[in-house]
Amino acid sequence: MSAHAPPSRLVLLGHPVAHSRSAVFQNAALEYAGFPQRYESLDVLPSELDRTLEALRAEGAGGNVTIPYKESVAARARCTTLAARVGAVNTFWHEQGVLCGENTDVAGISASIVALCPGGLGETRCAVMGAGGSAAAALVALHQLGCRDVVVAARTPERARRLSARVQVPVRIVATADEAVDQARLVINATPIGMLDDAMPVSPIALHTHAVVIDLVYRPEATAWVRSCRTSGHAAEDGSRILLEQGAAAFECWFGGSAPRHVMWQALGLSAGAGE
Ligand code: NAP
C-alpha cells in the first residue's frame, strides 16, 4: 500500500485536455480494482491554476498534470528526487494537506526503451529530438538505463544546454535532426511534430539501417513517422506504451500495489505488444 491515504478524486490538469486518453484507461482500471474514485479531465486556464490547486488540496484529490503545467506544478509541490531532477511533475497527490509530485513519464519512456532494446543500451548512441519537458524525462530514462552517448537535436540550442545541466545528463547538442540521427541506434522524438498531421521529425531515409525508433506522440493508428519507419524496416513504436506505463506508475503512486495493466491496455483498444 502507498504511505498516504488514496486520493478522494482523480483529475487530469491541463490546457487543453480534450485529446487525452488517460480517463479511458484510468477509469477502466479504477472500476476493475473496485475503487470508488473516478478520473476526469479538467481544462484549467493558466489564470485559474492556483485556485484550482487550492480546491484540489482541500478535497485531498490526486491526478495527473499535462501541458502546460508540469513545470508550474513542480514549482509548487514537494517533489520526489526524480521529479525534482526532471523539473516536471505529471503525477500528484496530497499528504496531510501537502501537494506532492512525482514524474512517471520517466518510467513510461524507460518501458518503451526496454521493449525496443531488450539487450540493453551498452555503447548505443541515442538521439533525442526536442528539448522540452518530455525530452528531460527521456534524458533521465536513458541515463538510468546506462546510456552515455546522447545527441540532442534542438532548434533552440540554449534550451537544450539548460536542460542537460538541469537533469545532469551530458549530451552533444546539434541543430538538425538529420545530424542527430546519423549513427544513432535509438532515435526518440520528443517534439509534438506529427501530433496534428502527418509531418515527420526526420525522414526515415536519414536513419541508420539498424536504428530503432520511439515516437512520444501517439495517434489512433500510430503516427505517420512510426508507420513510415516500420515500412523502411525499423522497429518502431509510438507513445501508446509510454502513455499507458506512465499512467500505470501513477496509479501505483495513488493506491500502492500493482496497476491492472492488462485492463488498461484493453481499454485503450491495444494489446500489450501493440506498439512494436
Ligand atoms: P514541450 O515541453 O513543449 O517541448 C517540445 C519541444 O519540441 C521543444 O524543445 C520545442 O522546441 C520542440 N519543437 C516543437 N515544435 C518543433 C518543430 N516544429 N521543429 C523542431 N522542434 C520543435 O513539449 P513536451 O511536454 O516535451 O511534449 C512533446 C510531445 O511529447 C507532445 O506531443 C506530447 O504530447 C508528447 N508526450 C507524450 C507522452 C506520452 O505519454 N506518450 C508523454 C509526454 C509527452 P523549442 O524549445 O524551440 O520550442
Side-chain angles (χ1 to χ4, degrees), residues 19 67 70-71 105 129-135 154-156 159 189-193 195 215-218 238-240 242-244 246:
H19 67 283
I67 290 175
K70 291 183 185 183
E71 286 84 1
D105 284 335
M129 293 174 282
S134 57
R155 66 179 181 185
T156 313
R159 191 172 179 189
N189 175 36
T191 77
I193 297 171
M195 199 163 85
D215 195 348
L216 263 67
V217 177
Y218 60 89
D238 76 352
S240 300
I242 297 169
L243 174 72
L244 188 128
Q246 64 77 29

Side-chain angles (χ1 to χ4, degrees), residues 15-270:
H15 179 66
V17 288
H19 67 283
S20 173
R21 303 194 68 203
S22 289
V24 173
F25 69 84
Q26 292 292 7
N27 279 322
L30 289 164
E31 207 161 309
Y32 177 84
F35 294 142
Q37 294 89 343
R38 286 297 166 264
Y39 185 107
E40 55 185 314
S41 297
L42 221 54
D43 197 324
V44 178
L45 290 171
S47 57
E48 291 295 306
L49 180 63
D50 282 317
R51 200 187 57 78
T52 305
L53 284 174
E54 179 48 34
L56 293 170
R57 191 190 69 78
E59 292 179 281
N64 290 123
V65 185
T66 188
I67 290 175
Y69 300 130
K70 291 183 185 183
E71 286 84 1
S72 321
V73 173
R76 291 161 171 76
R78 182 166 75 200
C79 289
T80 62
T81 306
L82 179 64
R85 181 180 183 191
V86 179
V89 159
N90 79 323
T91 299
F92 72 94
W93 63 93
H94 289 89
E95 283 181 27
Q96 289 158 350
V98 177
L99 174 66
C100 300
E102 175 60 291
N103 186 299
T104 67
D105 284 335
V106 175
I109 295 169
S110 296
S112 191
I113 295 172
V114 169
L116 277 179
C117 308
L121 293 176
E123 302 298 304
T124 306
R125 172 170 296 174
C126 301
V128 175
M129 293 174 282
S134 57
L139 292 189
V140 172
L142 287 169
H143 199 249
Q144 286 180 344
L145 291 169
C147 178
R148 296 291 179 265
D149 185 359
V150 184
V151 186
V152 172
R155 66 179 181 185
T156 313
E158 184 47 36
R159 191 172 179 189
R161 265 191 287 279
R162 283 199 306 270
L163 180 69
S164 163
R166 190 179 78 224
V167 300
Q168 294 166 25
V169 178
V171 302
R172 187 161 66 85
I173 299 164
V174 297
T176 68
D178 276 5
E179 209 180 327
V181 302
D182 185 42
Q183 302 305 318
R185 300 300 178 94
L186 169 62
V187 176
I188 301 177
N189 175 36
T191 77
I193 297 171
M195 199 163 85
L196 301 175
D197 54 26
D198 285 349
M200 300 192 199
V202 67
S203 165
I205 295 166
L207 299 176
H208 186 281
T209 320
H210 300 301
V212 301
V213 161
I214 296 173
D215 195 348
L216 263 67
V217 177
Y218 60 89
R219 291 183 65 185
E221 301 300 324
T223 58
W225 187 52
V226 162
R227 284 184 272 120
S228 181
C229 287
R230 285 178 182 156
T231 303
S232 304
H234 301 278
E237 62 177 42
D238 76 352
S240 300
R241 186 191 304 276
I242 297 169
L243 174 72
L244 188 128
E245 288 292 341
Q246 64 77 29
F251 191 96
E252 290 161 3
C253 286
W254 302 321
F255 299 110
S258 293
R261 284 172 171 73
H262 63 290
V263 174
M264 295 171 143
W265 276 111
Q266 214 171 16
L268 278 179
L270 299 167

